[in-house]
Amino acid sequence: MAQQRQRPSLPDDLRLSGGFNVIKGEDPGDFGDNGEHHGTHVAGIIAARGSAPKGRLGIAPGVSLRSYRVFGKKGGKSPGGTNFDVAKAIDRAVADGCDLINISLEMLTDAENPATPDSVIRDAIAAARSAGVLVIVAAGNQDRGPVSFPAADERSVAVSALGRKGTFPTGTSESGDVAGPFGKDKKNFIAAFSNIGRAIDLTGPGVGIISTVPGGYGVESGTSMACPAVTGFAARILGRLPDIRKQARNQERSDAIAQALFASVRDLGFKPEFEGHGLPS
Amino acid sequence: MMGRFILRYTGSGPTPASFVEQVRSHQDVSILDESPHMLLVDGPEAVLRRLLETSSGWLLVPERSVSLPDPRPQVERPPD
């Protein structure tokens, strides 16, 4: 794919159909990896197209994936990552016709209350929902702290991180993420780092997740990883629901996507503040 | 108070161009970045609030940082 050859910072197993870099002073067309690998890992969970034995598939490898970069190049002049950058990226994704927006970041300007909203991002999320777009957000990783903003916004789909014993080697750092209470299947747990609370809508796998990084694959843990697992699943559901896809782009459409997602879950046996409706499956 | 602020238009219809020009031409305010619905500006908050009295439907919010959620415990101080 020609676009990929122009973007060597993206792994071969990840194909973008477009995007935008919102960072002032950087090339708007440079929406690939910024040197931190976080966004590339998140993107691969949704849509990696690798094949065995070396490659891996994301949850929705056939999806049209777009990247909106809100953090500056590592070592660059502008760090980015402001409420302006995030709102600009959301607005742009909506204008470009995206159906789902994955947000694997959090705002911690008020350490006492991480759920404190930012009016600009809040309005951008509201505008997205009004334009038929579902916004799925990582709950944050403050060790069972309250769900952080923007996941805490009532229009966001907030995602906690699920782990499963036996899916990572004992003695690795993931072992420290194991914490009770456990689910109906005692191997399942909500990660010790995951934020929890009444704002949680869903849970997704977020411990010891293998996904794309420049040059290959790497392991990461976090609600940042759980969030794209849910987004990928939402994309698969939406792919099976042409009636919703054809709906006028308004609040009813984004509500219908959310309801279809919430109706496609498995109750793992945790309290709602840990898993919300459950695990999409 | 001087600082970086976001002006976001939440009203219906297109962003009022006349107001944007008013901000752009104000000697105490610099536009650092802009998008179809927003301006990122540097200037005194009091001046910006006065400007907003002439146009409705705008939010005025300080620029703030977001971060990537990091699940790993952080070392507050490297070992000696």
Side-chain angles (χ1 to χ4, degrees):
Chain A
M1 185 173 167
Q3 188 180 49
Q4 240 189 319
R5 284 188 215 103
Q6 293 163 8
R7 311 248 177 263
S9 60
L10 285 175
D12 291 340
D13 292 344
L14 199 54
R15 296 176 196 170
L16 297 178
S17 54
F20 190 71
N21 175 11
V22 306
I23 304 299
K24 180 79 171 176
E26 291 189 6
D27 174 6
D30 182 5
F31 43 77
D33 194 282
N34 71 339
E36 298 284 356
H37 307 171
H38 180 271
T40 302
H41 197 273
V42 166
I45 293 167
I46 298 172
R49 298 184 182 200
S51 52
K54 291 183 177 176
R56 290 169 188 274
L57 284 174
I59 291 173
V63 79
S64 175
L65 183 71
R66 302 178 69 85
S67 164
Y68 296 85
R69 185 151 71 75
V70 301
F71 290 99
K73 279 279 186 194
K74 190 177 182 181
K77 288 180 181 173
S78 173
T82 69
N83 47 351
F84 181 84
D85 297 321
V86 173
K88 188 176 176 183
I90 294 171
D91 291 344
R92 180 74 188 226
V94 171
D96 288 347
C98 292
D99 294 308
L100 305 166
I101 297 177
N102 183 94
I103 302 181
S104 287
L105 53 76
E106 62 188 341
M107 195 158 199
L108 297 174
T109 48
D110 183 351
E112 295 290 312
N113 183 8
T116 301
D118 174 81
S119 302
V120 166
I121 295 178
R122 187 176 158 80
D123 186 69
I125 291 173
R129 288 298 301 261
S130 297
V133 181
L134 192 63
V135 182
I136 301 165
V137 189
N141 302 336
Q142 281 76 48
D143 302 333
R144 302 276 168 90
V147 176
S148 55
F149 182 83
D153 188 279
E154 70 270 21
R155 297 177 189 86
S156 298
V157 174
V159 182
S160 66
L162 173 74
R164 182 169 172 80
K165 287 189 273 186
T167 60
F168 46 84
T170 53
T172 54
S173 58
E174 284 76 16
S175 300
D177 301 330
V178 180
F182 299 94
K184 285 185 281 196
D185 180 333
K186 299 303 177 193
K187 286 186 173 179
N188 291 334
F189 60 92
I190 298 299
F193 58 73
S194 180
N195 288 348
I196 57 171
R198 290 171 60 189
I200 293 291
D201 293 297
L202 295 167
T203 193
V207 177
I209 304 301
I210 300 171
S211 182
T212 46
V213 294
Y217 288 83
V219 181
E220 297 280 353
S221 296
T223 53
S224 284
M225 284 68 237
C227 185
V230 169
T231 303
F233 192 83
R236 291 183 73 107
I237 290 177
L238 195 54
R240 294 196 297 262
L241 297 170
D243 289 349
I244 293 180
R245 291 203 310 277
K246 288 177 196 163
Q247 260 181 261
R249 288 185 169 263
N250 54 26
Q251 183 73 43
E252 285 180 15
R253 183 181 193 265
S254 64
D255 289 348
I257 299 171
Q259 290 311 313
L261 181 58
F262 296 158
S264 304
V265 300
R266 189 153 48 100
D267 174 6
L268 299 178
F270 298 100
K271 289 181 178 174
E273 57 263 40
F274 286 85
E275 67 172 330
H277 296 273
L279 173 72
S281 54
Chain B
M1 184 181 77
M2 285 288 290
R4 288 161 65 116
F5 295 90
I6 300 164
L7 291 164
R8 181 176 175 90
Y9 185 62
T10 63
S12 55
T15 304
S18 59
F19 177 74
V20 173
E21 279 314 305
Q22 209 181 330
V23 174
R24 198 184 306 280
S25 60
H26 199 288
Q27 60 180 7
D28 295 332
V29 179
S30 305
I31 296 180
L32 306 173
D33 199 356
E34 52 192 302
S35 75
H37 300 294
M38 296 187 294
L39 300 173
L40 176 63
V41 299
D42 194 346
E45 183 176 3
V47 168
L48 294 167
R49 292 212 178 277
R50 274 201 299 279
L51 282 169
L52 286 177
E53 288 170 6
T54 66
S55 183
S56 60
W58 290 88
L59 292 174
L60 175 65
V61 178
E63 185 186 36
R64 299 189 184 104
S65 294
V66 298
S67 56
L68 300 176
D70 186 349
R72 300 292 167 225
Q74 301 296 304
V75 178
E76 288 184 4
R77 190 173 63 87
D80 294 327

